[in-house]
Each structure stands twice: as structure tokens, then as C-alpha cells.
Amino acid sequence: MRKYAIGLDYGTNSCRSLFVNLETGVEVASHVYNYPSGQMGVIVDPRDPNVARQSPADYRAGLIEIVVQGVAKAKAADPAFSPELVVGIGVDTTGSTPMPVDRAGVPLALRPEFNGNPGAQAWLWKDHTSHAEAAEITALAGKMRPQYLAKCGGTYSSEWFWSKVLHCKRVAPEVFEAAFSFVELCDWIPALLTGVEDPLALKRGVCAAGHKALYAQSWGGLPDKEFLGALDPALAALRDRLYSTACTADVPAGELCATWAKTLGLREGVAVAVGAFDAHMGAVGAGCCAGKLAKILGTSTCDLMVAKSGQPLADIPGVCGIVDGSVIAGYYGIEAGQSAVGDIFLWFVNNLVPESFGASPGAKFGALDDAAAKLKPGESGLLALDWNNGNRCVLTDVRLSGLVLGQTLHTSAPELYRALVEATAFGARMIIDRVRAYGVPVEEVITCGGLAVKSPFLMQVYADILGMPMAVAASDQTCALGAALFGAVAAGAFADIEQAQKKICRIRERVYQPIPENVAVYGELFALYRQLHDGFGTAAWNGNMGNVMKALIAIRERQR
Amino acid sequence: MRKYAIGLDYGTNSCRSLFVNLETGVEVASHVYNYPSGQMGVIVDPRDPNVARQSPADYRAGLIEIVVQGVAKAKAADPAFSPELVVGIGVDTTGSTPMPVDRAGVPLALRPEFNGNPGAQAWLWKDHTSHAEAAEITALAGKMRPQYLAKCGGTYSSEWFWSKVLHCKRVAPEVFEAAFSFVELCDWIPALLTGVEDPLALKRGVCAAGHKALYAQSWGGLPDKEFLGALDPALAALRDRLYSTACTADVPAGELCATWAKTLGLREGVAVAVGAFDAHMGAVGAGCCAGKLAKILGTSTCDLMVAKSGQPLADIPGVCGIVDGSVIAGYYGIEAGQSAVGDIFLWFVNNLVPESFGASPGAKFGALDDAAAKLKPGESGLLALDWNNGNRCVLTDVRLSGLVLGQTLHTSAPELYRALVEATAFGARMIIDRVRAYGVPVEEVITCGGLAVKSPFLMQVYADILGMPMAVAASDQTCALGAALFGAVAAGAFADIEQAQKKICRIRERVYQPIPENVAVYGELFALYRQLHDGFGTAAWNGNMGNVMKALIAIRERQR
């Protein structure tokens, strides 16, 4: 009998469903719902660019539409499909995107008395209003609990759970008072589907807990009350209303409840997996496994790796997060990334490329790709640092900036474009070299995201600089595909995620293989990149340049 | 009785006359003659981009046209003008631009048997065919006569006299054999006008001799025979057919001979001054004197300073040339410069500025100037090195390249443009700091050249970075004006050049004064520029970057 699973993927501006045939791996249908609230689904504040909230009502309305419409499309596309054949549902979302909920698990935003109160909405991952609280948490942890910082790259972020909750307490005390608990979006959707109303009963995912809420089994779950109480006694009290264990996403959160089964037109009792973040499930959908790094190549990048757990894994300095089970159960999930990749190319094309290369940004990209592909490594004499948006890994320093050197009076735009692409690949290599040095094997890269498909030139440069094959995931929707796989495993359709990946995940035919002579030249260029990286990125000593970028930023801030 | 002087200025593509009223300083007439030969006057070789020759016939034809037409224009413009009132003629030319001449002083190029022989033409300043000979001379001097290099910045150039003569001997031996002597263009025009045919009798200028032919009184004139013989015995033999003394340009080369007086329509006996190079006479025309640096701001820059002679002046490391009397008699002439200034801006505009800033390069420059002028120092967070064409002063190293750092995802083209302008001003400050450290006073800068007039924004940045007033010479033709002043002094119309300058040289009304708060910020930025300058421009030690640009150039050359 055929089986299908549904992946539900909640992004920043929309959510989507993906219906997957578990025998063939065919993605039979998909439906997208654009959030109606705010600006493209994001509730902003014209007076404060840091504000980014979302409406739980959008999530709920989207849930109905993407499944109901998806079922209709699946029926149309695949005569063998029937809603009865759906065995599992998996959910991935952005994060950390916590919501205050009441004792019955209802988001406060859905209660009339909090209508229009931004503190009661979901606090979207890219909300940066709590930067002061993040600094406070980092400072306190540095003093009281340095082990907390060691697993998250040394700095607690304003994008993360505790910063947001503490900021909510300060700026919207009426919301905090009314909140029985706070629930991540990735945990709330499965709770909704399974009809688990009690916030104390709903299953929490280890991905959000570990990467964003400082949860780890090794120190007994969430941060201890002494630490939380030092931030605010109310946080220590909240700890009892959160959770003490968190689950991997192959575990069922429960079964589809009668109410939602009817609403969605699915069978009651379908397995619903515990939720996780989009990047993590996307890595699974791309085929990430031990030795295969999944790289999501977009405006920034997210690199996900796994390493067999069981034996302790050392903290890896400068790597954003290491959480046992956050990608695949039985493996440490290791998350790294670069703060700007596609964004650097877009900046260059939008600001520094004449129209002679094309009338639109897309045409310019095409012309630059073609011209840059004709150059040999090192031929331009250029070398760049990929720090236009700071450095997330391995320096974890936002007060850094871009650098290009080697310009002559003949340097062309395609040469500079190639140098910027190379810089991002060198940055990628820094991350891989670092995790390898700490015993994490990386033998191949599987990419997904627009750039991987659009630019064969870029993929070849990456293969040559990383010295590894670069594959491209076959699916255009690896996040939703990964979510579907977790739904399938939770339903027992596969023994585990690895088996599901073997059956379902595909790469595209063209795998970019490193070209030995290019690898050799890039080896020389990488040594020079490292010299710039360490010289400008680390503390000043003797003749090095560690002060230069910071001094310029300090002057810039004073002068603006 | 009114008096007039004529300045004759021989440039790369044309020559021009300037008729100056010595009472009022008014420039009453000017006439330009475009050389008819080759490409815009330059005889090139499609197979060798290093070749750049000129035709002495062009110089001669131009001489007649610019004076005869100038006289006619002067009569038309100034009713009081009469050719009888011209008292002196001065000559400036490009250089080193030597010509092989026969025993009668006739350029071999004008003899039928050498018709079409490029070796017999004038070897224009920018002819680079003799780069191997230049390296040979530098190497030999380093071993045998290090004092020769100390006065010319450490490297003997392929643009200079001995490199060209030695290369002529090797590639055109028939020309070298037939040449009784070699004469610089700046010496040949005065010889022609004064009817001095014997190469041994014609007066040679100390400007060309000192800056290009290693002439110095301190070591007995031209390089000694042992040194020249080590290069080629024929050069040692040639030494006797050159000159043993060289004169400053306020000295008369002689009087206008009857033949040329008739040809030009001037009075026989008019004083003709010894010739010198265009930049040096241009500095005089701009008003260069002790404490006032003359800066010719063009595609590259030439900085000329003078320092009272009489007491010995130490060699200034990294400064191109120091020659007693090369600018003004009684002063050391100190020549420095930057290998690319306007060229860097032109490169940026031609390669990296979208058409949204303007449809033409000129429109783009205007828009960039306007936008960049609105920025405050340091506001962009950018810092650049001005080495896109290497560094002429004070590092004297062509194997360096450009650098820009501080880019974010918001960095704009006007911000980068401003950073490049600032970089050239920081480079200018490096030169001034260096000569000051060796006791040469610099209190004000007088600029000439297109950029000084076109870009008030650039002038203000220079004033703020140099911390000095920046004046702009009133004359658009400072070279020809300077030449006219030397003609006037040779004629006895003024006691000396300083008196002539006081009477004639003017600056424009707008003098750019440093703005104290900008000076302060630029002081901080200059410290960072120096850190990059020394880190990337000097030999590698500890953490510095002295190897990076050279390694990239080596890879580039290998890969091309």
C-alpha cells in the first residue's frame, strides 16, 4: 500500500506544504500560503527597525489552507493519492520564534484583550529588540556559567529565546504576567495538530531548546534557577512552567486529533512528529549525514553537520551551536554559517556594476558569471575578505568589515565579482577546517538554495577551494521534504531518518568535482586569505592589523 | 616700455606658445600645434607597446607655427604688443626625450638615410623599450656607485637617458654609430633658436642632466668612464661627446639667431633661456618657492619642492630626485610624485560606477563629487591604499597593488570614490611627511592641472588631510608661463626667478583652508593608513603583510 507524508514548512513570509510519496520520493503536491499580516507577514514598527513579530492567526489560517489545498492538488496530480494514505506529518519553522501562551496553550495574541499588543504576538527570529538583554545574558553567563557560552559560539544572541522573553517582561509586563508559558512556533504547530492544550504536556523539540534556550542534558536541561534568577526572579519562576526534557524530531509529538483531522480532511491518528528549525530539517532533506555537510546557500549561509554522539565532542571555538540530536537523533547537530554570502554579491551588483553588463540585476549576474568563469584562479591578482556583514564563524565578531586588495588600473567588475565569490568560499573553508580540527569529518558538501542551482561557476569555485565534491540537492524544497521525512519516521514508515534519507533524498546529476590544478593554486591563495583573516580578525600584536577595522567602525559611528 | 616674454611648452601630443606681458602678468596670446606624426604625435609600434618615439620634424614645424601664429594673435589681442617688445624666450619640454644628432647638431631623424628608422627619432619620455637596460644600470650602480641611486630614489628608470642610449646602441647600432652625440629635446630647441650647431658647444640644462642622466657636480658631472665602460665601452667613449657642465634655466643659452628671428618674425638677439622639463618650469609658473610645494594633479601627480642650497641636503629615501638648481637656481629641486591619482578615479568611474550616476564618465564624476562632498570624514568607515599602479614615493615599488577595506552591505559608489580620493591625499601626505623629516619645509600647496580646477571637493579633502592651505594656480598654462619667466630672467627683465614669480604668478581667489574638525578625524584615519602602508608596503616581519601583494602578483603573472 502506498504511503505519503506531509512536510509543513513555516518560513519568514509564507508557509508551505509538501506531499511526498514515500515509496518513490516523488513530491506530488505543494501549496504556499503568504501570511496576510504586516509587511509580507512581518509585523514591523516604523519607529524601531528591530521589531519583527508575526501573528499566530496567520500560522493557523495558513495551516488549514496549505493542507486542504495540498490535498486537492495531490489528488489532481497523483490518481493513487488519497488522504487516507497520509501516515505522518512533520513540521519545521523559523526560530527562535517564541509566543506567550495562556494556561490552555492559547497564544495571548489570539485573545481579544491583547489585540494589537505587539508583545503578545510571536517574536520572529529576526526581531532584534532584545539586544541589551542578549548582552546582559552573555555577560552574566561569562561570569556565572561559562559552559553555556561554550556551546553557542561564545555569544548569546538577541535573536534567541531568553533574550526575547526577558525583553517581553520589561517592555510588555502585562503580557508576561498573563503568559503561563512561552512556546516556540516549531513546538506549537505539532501541539495544535495533536490537540495537546496544556503547555506543560506539549512535547518540546531539542533543536529549538538546545540551539536557542541553552538547554542541554549535561547541565540538567534549561539554565538553572540561580542563573535565571540573577537575570530576573520572574525567569526563575517561569522555568517551572517551561519544560525539563526536549525530544528529537523523529519522536511523535502525538496523533492528529479529531478536530484537526476533520478540518484538514485527513485521517484521525496520523503521526505528527516533534518540530524543529527549517535549516535543520532542510539539512536532512538535502541528505546531510556523517561526513556530508549540508550547506544552505542564500543571502547568508547555514552549514549543518552531524557527528556520532555517545562519545563527548569538544566545544568547537567559533562555531555557533552544537546540540545533541538537533538534526538527527544519535548525532550531535553542529550548526555554523556565514553572515553574508549572496548578500555580498547582491550588494556588489546593485552598487558597483555598470549597466553595460545588463539592464537588470539578474542580467548583470548572468554576465558576471559568464565572464568570471573564464578567468583562472589567481589570474586577477585580487584577494578579498567576506566580512561585509561581520564574521559569524569562526571569529564571531560583528565589528569586522570587507576588504579587497590587488586592484590595478585594469581591474574589471567580473574580476572583483570572482574575488568576492572566492572570498565566501575561503570563509566556508575556514569553517570546515575548524570543525575538522575538532574531529568532525567532512568529505562532501550537499548544497541547496537558489545560488547552488543558478551559478555553476560559483559551485566550481567552491569545489576547487574546498577541495571536495559539491553536490546539489535534487529537491527545491529541502526543508519541507526534511519535515515530511520526520513525519514518516514518527509514523514508523522508516526505521530511522538515515533509512528515510536513503530512500527519498536525491542529488542532481551534476556533481562539481575539484579540478586538481585549481585546487593547487587556491591552496596558495587560501594561505594568503588566512594571513589576512588572522591579521585583521584577531587581536592586535606586533605588526598585525587587528585594530584597523574596529577603529574605522568606531570612527564611523562617531561621525554618523 | 612694455616688455613681453614667450614661453614654449613641448608636451606629449602638442606644443604651445604663451605670450606674457611682463608688467601686468597678462597672458596675451597662446597658440597650440598638434604634432602630425604617429598617433597624436607619438610614433608607436603595434608589435611592442613599449615603443614611443617622436619626430624632430614635428618639433621644428611646431616651433614656427606656434610663434608665428602666437605673434599674430598677440597683435590682435593687445594693441600695445609688437614683436619688437619680446625680450626673452624660455623652453620647457617632456623628458627624458633624447635625440641622436650628428656632428653638426642635426638630428639623425632629419637625414634622409635614417628616414623611417625609429631609433633615429626622439625617444619620448614614456618609451619603455629599455627596461632591461634600466635594470642593468640599477644593478651595476648598486654595486659600483650606490651614490648614483641615492639621489634618484633607488632605481634607475627605463624612461631615462642612459637606458635609452644603451638600448639604442643595442637595437639600432647603425644609429648609435652615426650619432656624434645625444641631445635632450629641452636642450635642442634653445640650440636651434640660438643657432648653436656644435653639440659640444650647446648649453645643457641641469634639470635633464641631473634628474635623468645621473649628472651631479659632487661626483664630477656625468657618470665616470669606468662605470659607463662597465655598461658598454661605447658609452664611456660617448661621455666625451656629451657635456661636462650643465646650467640652470635662468642662464641664457644664447641669443635668437638671425635666421630664426626672420623665420619667426621676432627681433634678432632676443635672449633664449636654457631649457628644462615641463613639470619643473610648471612648478615655477605655479609659484613654487621655499615652503610652497607645487603639485601637478593629473592622471598621476608630480610634486616639486625647493630647499635652499649651499648647505648639503641629505638624500631623502624614496624621493625620486634631488638636483641642485633643477627648478630654481640656488635651490635644490626636489621631485616626488604618485604613480596614479586621476587614473585611479578614472578606473573606478569607467569600471565600477552604474549609469544611474550619469550617462557619461563626466556626468558620473559630477554626481560622485556632489554625493561624496556631503559625507563627513570617516563616515563611510572605508579606508583605501592608492597603489593601483604601484607606489612611486616613498616606497618606490611597482609590485604593490590597491586595497580597500571597511565595506559593508550598504557601502555606496560615492563612499568608495571618496575613500579613493582620500587615499591619494594620504599618499600625498606620506611624501610631505618624508621630505619634512629631512628638513625640507612645506607650508602650503599650490596645485595646477585639471583636477585642481574641476573638483572643489577633492581640493577640500586634500586641505583637510594635508592640514595645509591648498591654492590653485591662476594660470591654466603654468608650464608655458614658467618657461616665459625663465626667458624674461635670461633677458635681464627680472633680477631672478623669485622676483619674476612675485610680479607675475597669481593664485585663484579660492584657497582651500583646512577645517580643524576634519583635520582631527583625518589625523586618526592617517594613522590607520600608515599602518596599512607600512604593513603591506614594507618587508614581512612578524604579523605584517609585506608578502601578500607580491605573492598575489607572482601568482597572477604565472596564471596569465
Side-chain angles (χ1 to χ4, degrees):
Chain A
M1 198 182 73
R2 282 176 186 249
K3 287 177 189 170
Y4 295 83
I6 306 174
L8 304 177
D9 169 38
Y10 280 78
T12 299
N13 310 111
S14 62
C15 57
R16 74 174 62 224
S17 61
L18 183 71
F19 288 66
V20 181
N21 179 326
L22 298 181
E23 305 301 314
T24 61
V26 170
E27 300 175 4
V28 293
S30 176
H31 190 76
V32 176
Y33 174 81
N34 294 309
Y35 303 137
S37 300
Q39 292 183 355
M40 297 174 70
V42 182
I43 298 164
V44 297
D45 180 343
R47 290 155 305 169
D48 182 357
N50 290 314
V51 171
R53 307 285 157 85
Q54 285 189 323
S55 163
D58 287 358
Y59 300 147
R60 198 181 167 119
L63 177 58
I64 298 168
E65 177 158 328
I66 62 179
V67 178
V68 171
Q69 297 295 326
V71 166
K73 285 185 180 179
K75 280 179 180 165
D78 178 359
F81 174 82
S82 146
E84 293 297 312
L85 301 177
V86 172
V87 295
I89 300 173
V91 179
D92 73 86
T93 73
T94 66
S96 173
T97 304
M99 293 179 270
V101 298
D102 65 16
R103 186 67 191 85
V106 177
L108 296 184
L110 299 180
R111 284 176 31 177
E113 68 267 38
F114 289 103
N115 192 13
N117 186 327
Q121 304 283 355
W123 293 56
L124 187 61
W125 66 278
K126 65 176 177 176
D127 187 292
H128 287 115
T129 49
S130 58
H131 49 83
E133 287 78 9
E136 209 175 316
I137 294 168
T138 301
L140 185 70
K143 273 183 282 183
M144 279 181 74
R145 301 285 185 272
Q147 66 273 30
Y148 291 175
L149 297 181
K151 292 275 184 247
C152 67
T155 309
Y156 195 80
S157 166
S158 62
E159 294 186 358
W160 296 352
F161 182 82
W162 292 110
S163 303
K164 285 170 167 166
V165 169
L166 182 53
H167 190 65
C168 176
K169 160 90 169 39
R170 288 173 180 169
V171 299
E174 73 289 358
V175 170
F176 188 88
E177 281 307 308
F180 175 76
S181 189
F182 286 80
V183 181
E184 285 281 351
L185 173 56
C186 65
D187 296 331
W188 184 69
I189 300 289
L192 200 64
L193 290 171
T194 55
V196 179
E197 292 174 349
D198 183 353
L200 295 180
L202 75 87
K203 285 209 174 122
R204 311 278 188 149
V206 75
C207 181
H211 285 293
K212 310 299 177 184
L214 296 174
Y215 171 96
Q217 283 299 354
S218 58
W219 54 68
L222 290 171
D224 60 79
K225 285 192 174 181
E226 187 192 352
F227 176 79
L228 293 175
L231 289 167
D232 192 308
L235 292 192
L238 175 65
R239 188 183 193 275
D240 291 331
R241 309 194 306 273
L242 291 167
Y243 50 92
S244 52
T245 59
C247 309
T248 55
D250 54 349
V251 169
E255 298 183 344
L256 188 63
C257 67
T259 315
W260 275 95
K262 196 171 166 204
T263 304
L264 300 178
L266 297 176
R267 181 173 52 79
E268 192 182 335
V270 166
V272 178
V274 162
F277 289 148
D278 40 13
H280 295 68
M281 286 195 169
V284 168
C288 174
C289 59
K292 291 192 186 178
L293 178 152
K295 180 183 281 291
I296 302 162
L297 258 171
T299 54
S300 61
T301 64
C302 191
D303 292 350
L304 282 149
M305 293 148 279
V306 296
K308 197 89 192 142
S309 50
Q311 60 228 23
L313 179 66
D315 301 331
I316 307 177
V319 168
C320 313
I322 303 174
V323 173
D324 196 356
S326 69
V327 178
I328 301 175
Y331 293 86
Y332 293 106
I334 302 163
E335 185 189 346
Q338 292 168 265
S339 46
V341 175
D343 269 349
I344 295 181
F345 314 145
L346 204 61
W347 159 75
F348 181 69
V349 163
N350 285 340
N351 286 280
L352 297 168
V353 178
E355 276 65 39
S356 52
F357 288 91
S360 67
K364 289 179 181 181
F365 267 119
L368 291 176
D369 254 38
D370 290 348
K374 294 195 178 81
L375 298 169
K376 282 188 273 184
E379 186 183 338
S380 70
L382 296 171
L383 186 61
L385 288 173
D386 50 321
W387 299 349
N388 290 43
N389 196 24
N391 178 295
R392 189 184 296 162
C393 286
V394 294
L395 298 169
T396 61
D397 190 344
V398 297
R399 293 180 80 79
L400 294 172
S401 57
L403 180 151
V404 181
L405 68 79
Q407 298 93 327
T408 68
L409 294 173
H410 307 288
T411 297
S412 68
E415 288 178 323
L416 284 164
Y417 174 68
R418 184 173 176 119
L420 294 173
V421 169
E422 290 169 344
T424 64
F426 290 135
R429 181 162 165 185
M430 287 299 301
I431 293 172
I432 290 170
D433 283 5
R434 175 62 58 91
V435 298
R436 278 180 173 158
Y438 284 77
V440 178
V442 182
E443 285 136 26
E444 187 180 335
V445 175
I446 307 175
T447 49
C448 45
L451 277 173
V453 181
K454 272 188 243 162
S455 180
F457 150 69
L458 176 143
M459 292 295 289
Q460 187 60 53
V461 167
Y462 269 65
D464 292 339
I465 286 179
L466 300 180
M468 279 186 290
M470 296 282 293
V472 184
S475 176
D476 287 331
Q477 298 171 27
T478 51
C479 298
L481 178 61
L485 296 193
F486 280 101
V489 174
F494 299 106
D496 55 27
I497 278 293
E498 287 108 310
Q499 285 214 3
Q501 286 180 302
K502 264 186 210 128
K503 184 89 181 179
I504 306 290
C505 296
R506 297 283 174 274
I507 57 169
R508 292 176 196 232
E509 202 173 347
R510 179 164 183 189
V511 174
Y512 298 82
Q513 297 294 341
I515 298 167
E517 53 269 37
N518 292 354
V519 171
V521 177
Y522 278 131
E524 291 180 73
L525 290 170
F526 182 64
L528 296 170
Y529 174 90
R530 266 213 75 148
Q531 193 179 344
L532 295 178
H533 178 281
D534 294 351
F536 283 95
T538 61
W541 53 276
N542 291 327
N544 99 347
M545 302 289 176
N547 60 309
V548 176
M549 291 176 179
K550 291 175 171 54
L552 282 169
I553 291 172
I555 294 170
R556 180 182 80 195
E557 288 175 351
R558 222 179 53 214
Q559 289 294 89
R560 276 192 175 164
Chain B
M1 200 182 74
R2 282 174 186 252
K3 288 177 187 168
Y4 295 83
I6 305 174
L8 304 178
D9 169 39
Y10 279 79
T12 299
N13 310 110
S14 62
C15 57
R16 73 174 63 222
S17 62
L18 184 70
F19 288 65
V20 181
N21 179 326
L22 298 180
E23 305 301 313
T24 62
V26 171
E27 300 174 4
V28 293
S30 176
H31 191 75
V32 176
Y33 174 82
N34 294 309
Y35 304 137
S37 300
Q39 292 183 357
M40 296 175 72
V42 181
I43 298 162
V44 297
D45 180 344
R47 290 156 306 170
D48 182 356
N50 290 315
V51 171
R53 307 286 156 86
Q54 284 189 324
S55 163
D58 287 358
Y59 300 147
R60 199 181 166 118
L63 178 57
I64 298 168
E65 177 157 329
I66 61 178
V67 178
V68 171
Q69 296 296 325
V71 165
K73 285 186 180 176
K75 280 180 181 166
D78 178 358
F81 174 81
S82 147
E84 293 299 311
L85 301 177
V86 172
V87 296
I89 299 172
V91 179
D92 73 85
T93 74
T94 66
S96 174
T97 304
M99 293 179 272
V101 298
D102 65 15
R103 186 66 189 85
V106 177
L108 296 183
L110 299 181
R111 284 174 33 175
E113 67 267 37
F114 290 102
N115 192 12
N117 186 326
Q121 304 284 355
W123 294 55
L124 186 61
W125 67 277
K126 65 176 179 177
D127 187 291
H128 287 115
T129 49
S130 58
H131 49 82
E133 287 79 9
E136 209 175 318
I137 294 169
T138 301
L140 186 70
K143 272 184 281 182
M144 279 181 74
R145 303 286 186 270
Q147 65 272 31
Y148 291 175
L149 297 181
K151 292 277 184 247
C152 67
T155 310
Y156 195 80
S157 167
S158 62
E159 295 186 359
W160 296 353
F161 182 82
W162 292 109
S163 303
K164 286 170 169 166
V165 169
L166 182 54
H167 190 64
C168 176
K169 161 89 169 44
R170 288 174 179 168
V171 299
E174 72 291 357
V175 170
F176 189 86
E177 281 307 310
F180 175 76
S181 189
F182 286 79
V183 181
E184 285 281 351
L185 173 56
C186 66
D187 297 330
W188 184 69
I189 301 288
L192 200 65
L193 290 171
T194 55
V196 179
E197 291 175 348
D198 182 353
L200 296 179
L202 74 87
K203 284 207 173 121
R204 311 276 190 150
V206 74
C207 181
H211 284 294
K212 310 298 176 185
L214 296 174
Y215 171 95
Q217 283 299 356
S218 58
W219 54 68
L222 290 170
D224 61 78
K225 284 191 175 182
E226 187 192 351
F227 176 78
L228 292 175
L231 289 168
D232 193 309
L235 291 193
L238 175 65
R239 188 183 193 275
D240 291 331
R241 309 195 306 274
L242 290 166
Y243 50 92
S244 54
T245 58
C247 309
T248 54
D250 54 348
V251 170
E255 297 183 345
L256 188 64
C257 68
T259 313
W260 274 96
K262 199 171 162 202
T263 305
L264 300 177
L266 296 176
R267 182 174 51 79
E268 191 182 337
V270 166
V272 178
V274 163
F277 288 148
D278 41 13
H280 295 68
M281 286 195 169
V284 167
C288 175
C289 59
K292 289 192 186 176
L293 179 153
K295 179 183 281 292
I296 301 162
L297 258 171
T299 53
S300 61
T301 63
C302 192
D303 291 351
L304 283 148
M305 294 148 278
V306 295
K308 197 88 192 141
S309 52
Q311 59 229 23
L313 179 67
D315 301 332
I316 307 178
V319 168
C320 314
I322 302 174
V323 172
D324 195 356
S326 69
V327 178
I328 301 174
Y331 292 87
Y332 293 107
I334 301 162
E335 185 190 346
Q338 291 168 266
S339 46
V341 174
D343 269 349
I344 295 180
F345 314 144
L346 205 59
W347 158 75
F348 181 68
V349 163
N350 285 339
N351 287 279
L352 297 167
V353 178
E355 277 64 39
S356 52
F357 288 92
S360 67
K364 288 179 181 180
F365 266 119
L368 291 176
D369 254 39
D370 290 347
K374 293 194 180 81
L375 298 168
K376 282 187 273 183
E379 186 183 337
S380 70
L382 297 170
L383 186 62
L385 287 173
D386 50 321
W387 299 349
N388 290 44
N389 195 25
N391 178 295
R392 189 184 295 162
C393 287
V394 297
L395 298 169
T396 63
D397 190 343
V398 297
R399 293 180 80 79
L400 295 172
S401 56
L403 180 152
V404 181
L405 69 77
Q407 299 93 324
T408 69
L409 295 173
H410 306 288
T411 297
S412 68
E415 287 178 324
L416 284 163
Y417 173 68
R418 183 172 177 119
L420 294 173
V421 169
E422 290 169 343
T424 64
F426 289 136
R429 180 162 167 185
M430 286 301 299
I431 294 172
I432 291 171
D433 284 3
R434 175 62 58 92
V435 299
R436 277 181 175 159
Y438 283 78
V440 178
V442 181
E443 285 136 27
E444 188 180 333
V445 176
I446 307 176
T447 50
C448 45
L451 278 174
V453 181
K454 271 189 245 158
S455 180
F457 150 69
L458 176 143
M459 292 296 288
Q460 187 61 52
V461 167
Y462 270 65
D464 292 339
I465 286 179
L466 300 180
M468 279 187 290
M470 296 283 292
V472 184
S475 176
D476 286 331
Q477 298 171 28
T478 52
C479 298
L481 178 61
L485 296 192
F486 280 101
V489 173
F494 298 106
D496 55 26
I497 278 293
E498 288 108 311
Q499 283 213 4
Q501 287 180 300
K502 264 186 207 127
K503 184 90 180 179
I504 305 291
C505 296
R506 298 280 175 277
I507 56 170
R508 293 177 195 230
E509 201 173 348
R510 179 165 184 188
V511 174
Y512 298 82
Q513 297 294 342
I515 298 167
E517 53 268 37
N518 292 354
V519 171
V521 177
Y522 278 132
E524 291 179 72
L525 290 170
F526 181 65
L528 297 170
Y529 174 90
R530 266 213 75 147
Q531 193 180 344
L532 295 178
H533 178 282
D534 295 351
F536 282 95
T538 61
W541 54 275
N542 289 328
N544 99 349
M545 302 288 174
N547 61 309
V548 176
M549 290 176 180
K550 291 175 171 54
L552 283 170
I553 291 172
I555 294 170
R556 181 182 79 196
E557 288 174 352
R558 220 178 56 214
Q559 288 293 89
R560 274 191 176 168

